[in-house]
Short mmCIF file of all heavy atoms in Angstrom, two decimals:
data_model
loop_
_atom_site.label_atom_id
_atom_site.label_comp_id
_atom_site.label_asym_id
_atom_site.label_seq_id
_atom_site.Cartn_x
_atom_site.Cartn_y
_atom_site.Cartn_z
N ALA C 132 82.61 94.68 145.31
CA ALA C 132 82.26 93.47 144.55
C ALA C 132 80.88 93.61 143.91
O ALA C 132 80.67 93.18 142.77
CB ALA C 132 82.31 92.25 145.46
N GLU C 133 79.93 94.22 144.63
CA GLU C 133 78.59 94.39 144.07
C GLU C 133 78.61 95.35 142.89
O GLU C 133 77.95 95.11 141.86
CB GLU C 133 77.64 94.90 145.16
CG GLU C 133 76.23 95.20 144.69
CD GLU C 133 75.48 93.98 144.16
OE1 GLU C 133 75.93 92.84 144.44
OE2 GLU C 133 74.46 94.17 143.48
N LEU C 134 79.39 96.44 143.00
CA LEU C 134 79.50 97.36 141.88
C LEU C 134 80.15 96.69 140.68
O LEU C 134 79.74 96.90 139.53
CB LEU C 134 80.30 98.60 142.29
CG LEU C 134 79.62 99.58 143.23
CD1 LEU C 134 80.59 100.66 143.68
CD2 LEU C 134 78.39 100.22 142.58
N ARG C 135 81.16 95.86 140.93
CA ARG C 135 81.83 95.18 139.81
C ARG C 135 80.91 94.14 139.18
O ARG C 135 81.02 93.85 137.99
CB ARG C 135 83.12 94.53 140.31
CG ARG C 135 84.15 95.54 140.76
CD ARG C 135 85.41 94.89 141.27
NE ARG C 135 86.24 94.38 140.17
CZ ARG C 135 87.39 93.75 140.35
NH1 ARG C 135 87.84 93.53 141.58
NH2 ARG C 135 88.08 93.33 139.32
N ARG C 136 80.00 93.59 139.98
CA ARG C 136 79.05 92.61 139.44
C ARG C 136 78.04 93.25 138.52
O ARG C 136 77.57 92.63 137.55
CB ARG C 136 78.32 91.92 140.60
CG ARG C 136 77.43 90.75 140.17
CD ARG C 136 76.65 90.19 141.34
NE ARG C 136 75.65 91.12 141.83
CZ ARG C 136 74.46 91.29 141.27
NH1 ARG C 136 74.11 90.60 140.19
NH2 ARG C 136 73.59 92.15 141.79
N THR C 137 77.71 94.52 138.78
CA THR C 137 76.63 95.18 138.04
C THR C 137 77.14 96.21 137.01
O THR C 137 76.32 96.84 136.34
CB THR C 137 75.67 95.88 139.01
OG1 THR C 137 76.41 96.76 139.87
CG2 THR C 137 74.93 94.86 139.86
N HIS C 138 78.45 96.39 136.92
CA HIS C 138 79.02 97.34 135.96
C HIS C 138 80.20 96.71 135.23
O HIS C 138 80.86 95.80 135.75
CB HIS C 138 79.48 98.62 136.66
CG HIS C 138 78.38 99.39 137.30
ND1 HIS C 138 77.85 99.07 138.53
CD2 HIS C 138 77.69 100.50 136.87
CE1 HIS C 138 76.88 99.91 138.83
NE2 HIS C 138 76.77 100.79 137.85
N ASP C 139 80.46 97.20 134.03
CA ASP C 139 81.60 96.70 133.27
C ASP C 139 82.92 97.04 133.95
O ASP C 139 83.87 96.27 133.87
CB ASP C 139 81.62 97.33 131.87
CG ASP C 139 80.40 96.96 131.04
OD1 ASP C 139 79.75 95.95 131.36
OD2 ASP C 139 80.11 97.69 130.08
N ALA C 140 83.00 98.20 134.57
CA ALA C 140 84.24 98.65 135.19
C ALA C 140 83.91 99.52 136.39
O ALA C 140 82.89 100.21 136.41
CB ALA C 140 85.10 99.42 134.20
N VAL C 141 84.77 99.49 137.40
CA VAL C 141 84.66 100.35 138.57
C VAL C 141 85.98 101.10 138.72
O VAL C 141 87.05 100.49 138.78
CB VAL C 141 84.34 99.56 139.85
CG1 VAL C 141 84.27 100.50 141.05
CG2 VAL C 141 83.03 98.80 139.70
N ILE C 142 85.91 102.44 138.77
CA ILE C 142 87.10 103.27 138.94
C ILE C 142 87.10 103.76 140.39
O ILE C 142 86.23 104.53 140.80
CB ILE C 142 87.12 104.45 137.96
CG1 ILE C 142 86.90 103.95 136.53
CG2 ILE C 142 88.43 105.21 138.07
CD1 ILE C 142 87.91 102.92 136.05
N CYS C 143 88.08 103.27 141.14
CA CYS C 143 88.17 103.57 142.56
C CYS C 143 89.10 104.76 142.79
O CYS C 143 90.09 104.94 142.09
CB CYS C 143 88.71 102.38 143.34
SG CYS C 143 87.86 100.82 143.00
N GLU C 144 88.78 105.55 143.79
CA GLU C 144 89.63 106.66 144.19
C GLU C 144 90.25 106.36 145.55
O GLU C 144 89.55 105.94 146.48
CB GLU C 144 88.81 107.96 144.27
CG GLU C 144 89.65 109.16 144.71
CD GLU C 144 88.82 110.40 144.99
OE1 GLU C 144 87.64 110.44 144.58
OE2 GLU C 144 89.36 111.32 145.62
N GLY C 145 91.56 106.56 145.66
CA GLY C 145 92.23 106.41 146.94
C GLY C 145 92.05 107.66 147.78
O GLY C 145 91.29 108.57 147.46
N ALA C 146 92.80 107.72 148.89
CA ALA C 146 92.74 108.87 149.79
C ALA C 146 94.15 109.20 150.26
O ALA C 146 94.93 108.29 150.57
CB ALA C 146 91.84 108.58 150.98
N GLY C 147 94.47 110.49 150.30
CA GLY C 147 95.81 110.87 150.74
C GLY C 147 96.85 110.21 149.87
O GLY C 147 96.82 110.31 148.65
N SER C 148 97.77 109.48 150.50
CA SER C 148 98.82 108.76 149.80
C SER C 148 98.82 107.30 150.22
O SER C 148 98.59 107.00 151.40
CB SER C 148 100.19 109.38 150.12
OG SER C 148 101.24 108.49 149.78
N PRO C 149 99.08 106.37 149.30
CA PRO C 149 99.16 104.96 149.70
C PRO C 149 100.41 104.66 150.51
O PRO C 149 100.52 103.58 151.08
CB PRO C 149 99.20 104.23 148.35
CG PRO C 149 99.76 105.23 147.40
CD PRO C 149 99.26 106.56 147.86
N ALA C 150 101.37 105.61 150.57
CA ALA C 150 102.63 105.39 151.28
C ALA C 150 102.61 105.97 152.69
O ALA C 150 103.67 106.25 153.26
CB ALA C 150 103.78 105.98 150.48
N GLU C 151 101.42 106.15 153.27
CA GLU C 151 101.35 106.58 154.66
C GLU C 151 101.58 105.35 155.54
O GLU C 151 100.65 104.67 155.98
CB GLU C 151 100.00 107.24 154.93
CG GLU C 151 99.86 108.58 154.19
CD GLU C 151 98.46 109.13 154.16
OE1 GLU C 151 97.53 108.40 154.55
OE2 GLU C 151 98.27 110.27 153.72
N ILE C 152 102.86 105.06 155.75
CA ILE C 152 103.25 103.77 156.33
C ILE C 152 102.77 103.61 157.76
O ILE C 152 102.60 102.48 158.24
CB ILE C 152 104.77 103.58 156.25
CG1 ILE C 152 105.50 104.76 156.90
CG2 ILE C 152 105.21 103.44 154.80
CD1 ILE C 152 107.02 104.64 156.88
N ASN C 153 102.51 104.71 158.45
CA ASN C 153 101.98 104.62 159.82
C ASN C 153 100.56 104.10 159.85
O ASN C 153 100.09 103.61 160.89
CB ASN C 153 102.06 105.98 160.51
CG ASN C 153 101.31 107.06 159.75
OD1 ASN C 153 101.45 107.18 158.53
ND2 ASN C 153 100.52 107.86 160.45
N LEU C 154 99.84 104.19 158.73
CA LEU C 154 98.43 103.78 158.68
C LEU C 154 98.20 102.54 157.83
O LEU C 154 97.06 102.12 157.67
CB LEU C 154 97.57 104.94 158.14
CG LEU C 154 97.62 106.26 158.91
CD1 LEU C 154 96.77 107.31 158.21
CD2 LEU C 154 97.15 106.07 160.36
N ARG C 155 99.25 101.97 157.28
CA ARG C 155 99.06 100.86 156.32
C ARG C 155 98.34 99.68 156.93
O ARG C 155 97.50 99.05 156.27
CB ARG C 155 100.42 100.42 155.74
CG ARG C 155 100.31 99.20 154.81
CD ARG C 155 99.44 99.51 153.60
NE ARG C 155 99.22 98.37 152.75
CZ ARG C 155 98.19 97.52 152.86
NH1 ARG C 155 97.26 97.71 153.82
NH2 ARG C 155 98.06 96.52 152.03
#
Side-chain angles (χ1 to χ4, degrees):
E133 177 63 16
L134 288 173
R135 294 179 76 181
R136 187 185 68 81
T137 54
H138 296 81
D139 297 339
V141 178
I142 308 302
C143 309
E144 179 188 345
S148 163
E151 292 167 351
I152 55 179
N153 57 314
L154 302 177
R155 176 62 185 91

